[in-house]
Amino acid sequence: MSSPPVAPPGWSRWLVPPAALSVHLSIGQAYAWSVFKPPLESALHLDGTRSALPFQLAIVMLGLSAAFGGTLVERNGPRWAMTVALLCFSSGFLLSALGAQTQQYWLIVLGYGFVGGIGLGIGYISPVSTLIKWFPDRPGMATGIAIMGFGGGALIASPWSAQMLQSFGTGHSGIALAFLVHGLSYAVFMLLGVLLVRVPRAAERAGGPAAATGVRVSARGAVRTPQFWLLWVVLCTNVTAGIGILEKAAPMITDFFADSSTPVSASAAAGFVALLSAANMAGRIGWSSASDRIGRKNIYRVYLGAGAVMYLLIALFGDTSKPLFVLCALVILSFYGGGFATIPAYLKDLFGSYQVGAIHGRLLTAWSTAGVLGPLIVNWIADRQEEAGKHGSSLYGLSFGIMIGLLVVGLAANELVRPVHVRHHVPAQREAADAQRQQPA
């Protein structure tokens, strides 16, 4: 096990967010998966449910690898974690390229979903604890800066992928070449974060407002509290609502306006995916920064309550107005992104910064659940409705109603969150000893 790289005296903490961004912008490509869905369905003869499988498995592995690897990330530091993320994420694309070239779909599922998903999970949590230790005064803003990269990754990847498919072709060989370019390019970009990241010295991390709160809960202790599981429900419902649109964004907007006088083209649908990515990214920094001022519980009231209203508007009026459909979807995705960026600060408020990275990793199993639940609800219901002879916006009415119900459940769970009882706290001396062990001799 390697020691994390410790910042020398005078090191600027503002160098750490760019290191985190280089990793998060890369792994955020996952949100552009819907651009690959139609070509894969055509080239490999898949239905919508099967073409979503690599993405779903990637999100499952994200949560599981974050949960089981969170303690290792805390122990070995962000550089070790970013290196593991680089190797897994890039290897996943290379395996997927081989699978597309040989028309072996299981290799794409294994590469992008399983191997790449491990890279997603380790890469996602790699900078969170470090950022909170560098910015104890503004944890929402700090994690928002980094995590907005994950939301903004598709803003780059979506048009880039569409252009590659246009240039290379949408057959299996063109898809394989696009996967290959992705894998090699992201390896180089993520390497920048590996080389740049540092952790604060023990003397620096001990100070600041965070240390004065006296809240120190271990990762093992956190999962025994009701607060952890209430936040698990909050995150799961918020993510399910957002990912249900995001995973099927391109075909969804095409279906909604297929019968109108101005149907949506493939390039316009890809542009819609890019817009969703922009909203996702903006929500991560905007809403999480706002949470530093108005509080975490209040901001989640906005995410869940207003999100339910946006879904209701799309269900009732979405197929009558493109601006309304796009606006509501953008708001939902901004809440989706904001929820991800705010949850580390919410955890820090409740459990302290002692093992917040490991706690955050365990909580991301909610994302794994939502990564299956959201696409499954939308795709499975849409496939069944299509078999029943329905088309257009009627493919999504039932699934949107389910999303509204889930958001209401999440809103209720958020209202039940209370401070963690003192019996779950660990002594301050244990935190200081753990911090000291991370310093080089």
Side-chain angles (χ1 to χ4, degrees):
M1 299 296 183
S2 60
S3 297
V6 179
W11 180 269
S12 173
R13 64 179 184 170
W14 292 103
L15 293 173
V16 181
L21 273 173
S22 71
V23 173
H24 275 236
L25 280 170
S26 299
I27 63 177
Q29 183 280 335
Y31 283 143
W33 177 253
S34 64
V35 175
F36 284 102
K37 278 171 64 70
L40 282 170
E41 290 169 11
S42 176
L44 302 181
H45 310 292
L46 309 171
D47 60 21
T49 303
R50 289 185 66 203
S51 68
L53 186 57
F55 175 81
Q56 288 176 291
L57 181 57
I59 299 302
V60 169
M61 293 311 301
L62 186 160
L64 294 178
S65 60
F68 290 105
T71 302
L72 288 175
V73 172
E74 286 283 313
R75 184 182 306 156
N76 298 326
R79 176 171 290 177
W80 174 88
M82 289 178 179
T83 302
V84 172
L86 184 160
L87 294 173
C88 291
F89 190 64
S90 295
S91 298
F93 268 113
L94 300 183
L95 276 173
S96 298
L98 178 62
Q101 183 62 38
T102 59
Q103 301 186 61
Q104 298 293 317
Y105 186 60
W106 69 270
L107 270 177
I108 299 178
V109 176
L110 174 67
Y112 191 93
F114 185 80
V115 179
I118 294 173
L120 288 180
I122 300 298
Y124 189 86
I125 64 173
S126 62
V128 170
S129 177
T130 303
L131 283 164
I132 287 177
K133 289 169 183 173
W134 274 113
F135 295 88
D137 50 333
R138 286 179 283 181
M141 180 213 69
T143 54
I145 288 175
I147 292 176
M148 77 172 180
F150 194 87
L155 188 61
I156 299 169
S158 180
W160 184 37
S161 300
Q163 182 59 50
M164 276 195 284
L165 290 170
Q166 184 177 340
S167 301
F168 302 152
T170 55
H172 65 90
S173 295
I175 297 170
L177 188 53
F179 282 154
L180 177 64
V181 173
H182 275 72
L184 298 177
S185 301
Y186 285 133
V188 174
F189 196 57
M190 292 172 76
L191 185 61
L192 297 175
V194 172
L195 298 175
L196 188 60
V197 73
R198 298 287 188 279
V199 298
R201 290 171 296 149
E204 290 175 340
R205 80 177 68 169
T213 64
V215 180
R216 298 174 191 86
V217 182
S218 68
R220 180 176 295 182
V223 298
R224 298 172 180 172
T225 66
Q227 287 85 352
F228 177 89
W229 295 106
L230 288 170
L231 288 190
W232 193 97
V233 172
V234 166
L235 183 63
C236 184
T237 53
N238 192 54
V239 172
T240 300
I243 213 168
I245 287 181
L246 194 58
E247 188 275 335
K248 201 176 173 66
M252 182 182 291
I253 192 170
T254 303
D255 289 337
F256 256 79
F257 299 99
D259 297 331
S260 70
S261 57
T262 55
V264 177
S265 65
S267 60
F272 174 61
V273 175
L275 276 177
L276 292 179
S277 178
N280 187 355
M281 181 173 64
R284 290 172 188 245
I285 183 62
W287 293 120
S288 62
S289 296
S291 77
D292 286 334
R293 296 190 298 273
I294 70 173
R296 321 302 171 196
K297 178 175 283 192
N298 286 333
I299 205 73
Y300 271 96
R301 285 169 174 153
V302 174
Y303 299 156
L304 299 161
V309 173
M310 294 299 107
Y311 254 113
L312 182 61
L313 289 174
I314 293 178
L316 294 177
F317 309 111
D319 60 344
T320 64
S321 170
K322 284 182 185 175
L324 177 66
F325 178 92
V326 172
L327 178 62
C328 290
L330 291 177
V331 173
I332 290 171
L333 264 294
S334 77
F335 293 159
Y336 170 79
F340 277 122
T342 309
I343 204 69
Y346 209 162
L347 291 170
K348 178 258 179 189
D349 292 346
L350 289 171
F351 303 108
S353 59
Y354 169 50
Q355 289 190 344
V356 68
I359 298 170
H360 183 225
R362 285 161 171 76
L363 192 77
L364 289 182
T365 53
W367 193 358
S368 296
T369 304
V372 173
L373 204 57
L376 183 63
I377 291 170
V378 174
N379 285 293
W380 188 84
I381 292 177
D383 288 344
R384 300 294 80 76
Q385 298 286 62
E386 190 172 12
E387 289 173 2
K390 296 185 179 180
H391 64 281
S393 61
S394 60
L395 298 175
Y396 303 98
L398 177 58
S399 59
F400 283 10
I402 294 172
M403 295 299 183
I404 293 169
L406 289 173
L407 286 168
V408 172
V409 170
L411 187 64
N414 183 55
E415 293 302 313
L416 295 174
V417 174
R418 298 291 184 271
V420 177
H421 194 277
V422 68
R423 70 174 179 271
H424 297 290
H425 295 192
V426 300
Q429 294 87 341
R430 179 172 163 186
E431 179 179 22
D434 288 348
Q436 188 62 40
R437 280 195 296 271
Q438 288 190 350
Q439 303 305 303

